[in-house]
């Protein structure tokens, strides 16, 4: 608990996620301040910067990273801009928290992995925030105790009330199931080696031409199977559940059964309506953990390797969705850096 | 509620299930009596018959069926003996309740279907007792209201504490998943058109050479998908769960969360240890419903067509287990009798 | 499992409960038949009798009890008629199942106790059917194992959607809490020694002048406390819950959390709407157990002493409601017959 | 979100709670720093101060409050020292967060109320942290919507695994039920007008001479009743539950049913083992809310009036425990300052 200097953070991208991270660092997180915000839209950058005393607005990441009061970078710009920003941060030798996806495809993600390898040490954390959700953490801890024996299967449910207008069938995999990709790898400690995406009849409540829901099966190099129900127009709310089936028992999270009411002939409770409500605490904990580790000179949390593996799995998944059948996932050899 | 004569039932087979049905008809069910028991083991038949006043022991089904005090037949002999007993009952024009499986394979099951067709009316009910479980009935009723919209997916879990010594990998499909085959067809109102069986790493707690657990995916002619986790050495108890995912909501049964205790650092409750504990009421209700319908001169409940379809799906499942990959299910055209 | 003769039952009273018991014995219960029905309304008696072959209608209990085909009596007439019917059954030396309340007050209940004592053996069972509910039975069994240590407190909830038009404030105690009186004595194995009834603000949804809800505290001779929330216009359904708090843990029943749905922003399920829905199985099991015991020549289940004690506690409760404060319960010495 | 200066906090008392608040402000809370710690034990004060850069150790509160870098005071010293520290903070015109109890008795609490009244504005917040627990907040929000109608009853459970060695029977009221006193007043929006404490047989697992558990009934000026089971040697964990019973429904919190496991014949999960585990987030949120309000120049949260009312209710409760029967609670007239 020795005092360390407050961490000056440059937030790249001031869209919904970026602006929310600015608010989080400013109001919630201890030990950090927003010293810079970056957006190609200069007005937008200025508006956000004005919310925080001593915060400077920039339109390009490189300038922000060069500023004396910037100690670390949080990348929340659109996915296609991540690679360049990450490489710049590496050049400036700055620690980074990069929102998911690491980059939009496996090839570019691999370039980031290679760039970090050249640094010879980890610099970047990828924003798979579910690893900071208390329920997922409890599940991970329980699995690590070995009480239940080895995990053999993992059943995942991922449901959104409604999809945004721009959502495509591929995005159910690359944008939504991307989370289960990471969760599966992290909880099981295995790499995913094959993906099969199946197509039930689409819901009449999904937009035309959207294949929603989908059912995904992952095979892993540890022999476990994971399945994912992804349903982004389920209508009733935002619900993320996981059940690990192990040799001696199972464990399930995500029921969200907190307050129980009796009324109008029914018992039960309310369902979260979006990921912000469901995972607000996980985001807070993720950023706090990143700030704390950074101030200690460490890099923890999901790595760029995790980002690359997720991208490769999602690519195979989208191929399976479009072409049908089982697709294998080919990863490069895992560098020692990611142990 | 007009009085009808007490139904005289011949119980064929006096193994565990048969003896239990004798007890059930004798002690639990209203409106029926056990007038005959049949077993190739004459001593066994006599021992069981002696438990019920006025009950005669036989060693062959045909003699029992010819007795004047036998109005109906309950077949609980081993599966390979079912076909002959069913055909005999049809000859004697007796109503039948036949334990699952209808017969051990699709070809013989089809012969039973054809024989009943020749009678021109339904005579037999197949013992898929889950249709009489209050939770499954609630789920079915809810789906029928249409409140949740069409079902798109059905997630099933089927877990036994430990498998009996004679259990083989194929029996996880043909003996255990047989229930989910019927449940899926009944709840969704669809025929199953393809089966894929996947093999996670076997549990270290399963006997050597037993592929346990398995993960099964059904495709249906209505476009819905159903998946089944079958795990017959889960160690912790007997647990059967189902979750229907529909266009506007989901419904889950089988949590078994009745009495909740707090003790020794844990909240929760006990898990049923076998199917007798879990489904005792369903068996009681099934036999009572069969007796009631029979006394009214009706045949209700799962039909021999349901038994045939289950056999065909299980055959495809066993092929998928052994050869890998997706297997289609080929059924003959559905006779009008099974509407 | 030796065969015994079918029990011929005379059902006294053919109101809602009586008619339901006729149906139950006729259609559900094994080993018994309705040979007589009795109602002062001759037409009503005939109508009900006509539903069962070989069932005779009577207008007075004594004639029915004298009939050759009557082996046992089920009293379901209004409470004020119970005492006379019970004493007549004792004269005819017939086993009796008497619906609750045993009689409307402690003095008359005591006369029944004394009459049975003169017989020198138990003849009557009182219809506290909750003792036959699977959840209450589980709770009782758990307490008897001693795993949780001695029970120290019992929290009860008793909620009805709406009260019938004739309901008075006193009836919340004498008619509704009567059940918790028995449940408390049975689960704890203690006599209730004092009652305090408290009056929260009445609900605006209760009829004018009805003190609803009420909150009742029982003290027992074993030192445990029990409390009862009785709320007969709760609006949302019929809900009966109990939580035993013991030295090393607690156990709760009555959540009724079977099927869980997700829909329209809420998770949860439906609540039973009346006692018939909630306790139908308990009634079936109660009458079957009475028939089975009677055919074995035994008397089991709640005794007339239990009926008398409940009446005495309810009388003290009504006094507490009307006069305020704590009222002690005075019972005569417990006869050895009720050991 | 305009930038405000970081709040310099003096933490008075460096026992378990005080040290934890130092850690909290240092590591978790945004916008504040620990500039001073105070303890009569100079060594202890220095040790704690050394954990935070720029933090000064003091042995008397007044010196700390006079320091230039102290903007606010958090009182976490033993209860008997609170009054003096509060009055000193008022003299220095510093905002205060005072751990519960406000003071050890109603008379001293009233002096603090009067002192704050003389200031003419609120300066102090009392540490009833349950108001910052997400479940209690959800319950409060639901009650405020009016969906369930007026609350008529509130059932509370407060269970600790084991009591500390110094715990007395009175402390079950003054230390433990103090929380339910505040929760009841806050959730219902009523003052408590009478208290009755009942004594079930003590648990054999409680220390000799400790009356544990106890059962408490509160009456309120709004006509609602609240009951509290307090059981500080329940053995199985730390569990705090509340159920509000309203005119049209009920709402229950505190089941703590997050991760659900199946293992070794049981379903369920773990119970928190102490208040730190159960309410850690509530403490974090409480202190953050106090810091945020203070930086905005506001005082929110539970007031010294709430602290005074709780003290008065607990005094009546201890009298009821010791003398038996119902005790009325006499409060002075509520000053306009506390609306």
């Amino acid at each position: 608990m020795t005092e360390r200097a407050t961490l000056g953070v440059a937030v790249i991208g001031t869209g919904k996620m970026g602006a929310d991270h600015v608010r989080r660092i400013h109001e919630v997180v201890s030990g950090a301040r927003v010293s810079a915000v970056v957006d190609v839209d200069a007005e937008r950058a200025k508006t956000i910067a004005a919310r925080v005393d001593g915060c400077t607005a920039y339109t390009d990441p490189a300038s922000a990273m060069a500023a004396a009061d910037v100690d670390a970078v949080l990348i929340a710009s659109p996915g296609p801009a991540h690679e360049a920003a990450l490489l710049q941060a590496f050049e400036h030798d700055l620690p980074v928290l990069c929102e998911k996806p690491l980059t939009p495809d496996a090839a570019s993600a691999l370039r980031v992995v290679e760039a970090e390898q050249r640094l010879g040490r980890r610099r970047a954390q990828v924003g798979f925030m579910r690893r900071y959700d208390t329920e997922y953490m409890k599940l991970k801890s329980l699995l690590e105790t070995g009480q239940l024996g080895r995990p053999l299967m993992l059943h995942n449910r991922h449901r959104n009330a409604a999809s945004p207008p721009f959502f495509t069938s591929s995005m159910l995999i690359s944008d939504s199931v991307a989370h289960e990709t990471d969760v599966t790898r992290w909880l099981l400690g295995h790499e995913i080696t094959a993906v099969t995406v199946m197509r039930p009849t689409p819901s009449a409540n999904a937009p035309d031409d959207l294949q929603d829901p989908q059912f995904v099966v992952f095979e892993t190099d540890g022999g476990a199977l994971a399945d994912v129900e992804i349903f982004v127009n389920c209508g009733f709310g935002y619900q993320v559940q996981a059940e690990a089936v192990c040799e001696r028992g199972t464990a399930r999270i995500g029921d969200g059964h907190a307050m129980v009411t009796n009324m109008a002939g029914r018992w039960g409770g309310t369902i979260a309506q979006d990921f912000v409500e469901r995972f607000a605490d996980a985001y807070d904990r993720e950023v706090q953990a990143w700030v704390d580790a950074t101030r200690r000179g460490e890099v923890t949390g999901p790595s760029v390797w995790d980002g690359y593996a997720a991208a490769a799995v999602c690519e195979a998944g989208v191929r399976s969705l479009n072409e049908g059948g089982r697709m294998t996932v080919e990863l490069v050899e895992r560098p020692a850096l990611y142990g």
Side-chain angles (χ1 to χ4, degrees), chain A:
Chain A
M1 211 157 74
T2 317
E3 182 73 355
R4 287 193 180 84
T6 297
L7 192 76
V9 178
V11 176
I12 318 275
T14 58
K16 190 180 169 191
M17 285 301 298
D20 196 47
H21 280 307
V22 168
R23 179 199 57 77
R24 177 171 291 111
I25 295 171
H26 187 52
E27 296 186 355
V28 179
V29 166
S30 171
R33 59 184 299 276
V34 185
S35 27
V37 297
V38 183
D39 207 299
V40 288
D41 177 343
E43 282 312 303
R44 172 89 186 152
K46 274 185 204 163
T47 304
I48 300 292
R51 295 181 184 169
V52 182
D53 251 27
C55 174
T56 312
Y58 297 86
T59 53
D60 76 304
S63 311
M65 294 183 198
D69 59 355
V70 167
D71 307 310
V73 179
L74 194 164
I75 301 176
S77 48
H82 287 189
E83 181 182 359
L86 281 155
L87 298 181
Q88 284 170 317
F90 290 167
E91 279 168 32
H92 287 87
D93 199 27
L94 291 173
V96 189
L97 174 60
C98 179
E99 263 304 325
K100 67 154 278 261
L102 177 62
T103 67
D105 54 74
S108 52
L110 184 56
R111 289 194 294 269
V112 175
V113 167
E114 290 165 348
E116 194 179 48
Q117 262 187 280
R118 283 191 297 271
L119 292 180
R121 57 172 181 144
R122 285 192 54 192
R123 267 330 221 160
Q125 172 174 339
V126 178
F128 288 122
M129 85 293 180
R130 288 199 194 166
R131 299 194 187 191
Y132 297 91
D133 172 63
T134 50
E135 296 194 6
Y136 273 107
M137 289 192 294
K138 274 187 192 168
L139 178 52
K140 176 72 171 167
S141 296
L142 178 64
L143 294 178
E144 286 179 343
T145 64
Q147 281 181 69
L148 300 184
R150 283 177 314 151
L152 306 173
M153 284 178 288
L154 182 69
H155 305 304
N156 300 280
R157 311 282 163 254
H158 185 155
R159 296 160 181 162
N160 296 70
S163 58
F166 55 81
F167 230 63
T168 64
S169 296
S170 297
M171 289 173 78
L172 270 75
I173 301 298
S174 59
D175 202 81
S176 302
V177 175
H179 284 291
E180 275 73 25
T181 298
D182 185 62
V183 155
T184 297
R185 298 176 61 256
W186 176 62
L187 288 176
L188 301 180
H190 302 164
E191 287 295 354
I192 293 169
T193 53
V195 192
T196 308
V197 177
M198 281 168 274
R199 314 171 65 128
T201 299
S203 169
N205 298 324
D208 284 353
D209 303 326
L210 194 71
Q211 174 57 52
D212 180 36
Q214 299 176 23
F215 190 71
V216 182
V217 180
F218 294 141
E219 300 165 45
T220 74
D221 61 3
L225 283 185
D227 58 277
V228 187
E229 174 205 315
I230 173 71
F231 189 6
V232 300
N233 290 280
C234 77
F236 59 78
Y238 180 73
Q239 198 172 53
V240 168
Q241 302 182 326
E243 181 177 31
V245 180
C246 304
E247 292 178 314
R248 281 191 297 277
T250 81
R252 186 177 73 208
I253 59 168
D255 280 352
H257 293 184
M259 184 166 68
V260 183
T261 59
N262 291 304
M263 52 174 155
R266 297 186 64 81
W267 59 270
T270 54
I271 301 172
Q273 286 305 297
D274 59 24
F275 75 95
V276 176
E277 182 181 350
R278 170 68 182 84
F279 286 115
D281 286 352
Y283 280 109
D284 289 355
R285 212 172 281 111
E286 173 194 56
V287 177
Q288 184 72 63
W290 174 67
V291 166
D292 291 350
T294 302
R295 293 172 82 202
R296 288 193 311 268
E298 299 173 11
V299 182
T300 60
S303 69
V304 297
W305 175 262
D306 296 313
Y308 159 68
V313 171
C314 289
E315 276 187 10
V318 171
R319 274 205 316 279
S320 174
L321 170 69
N322 292 330
E323 299 168 28
R326 172 180 182 273
M327 298 291 166
T328 56
V329 178
E330 309 292 344
L331 298 180
V332 301
E333 202 183 342
R334 186 179 180 123
L337 190 55
Y338 310 107

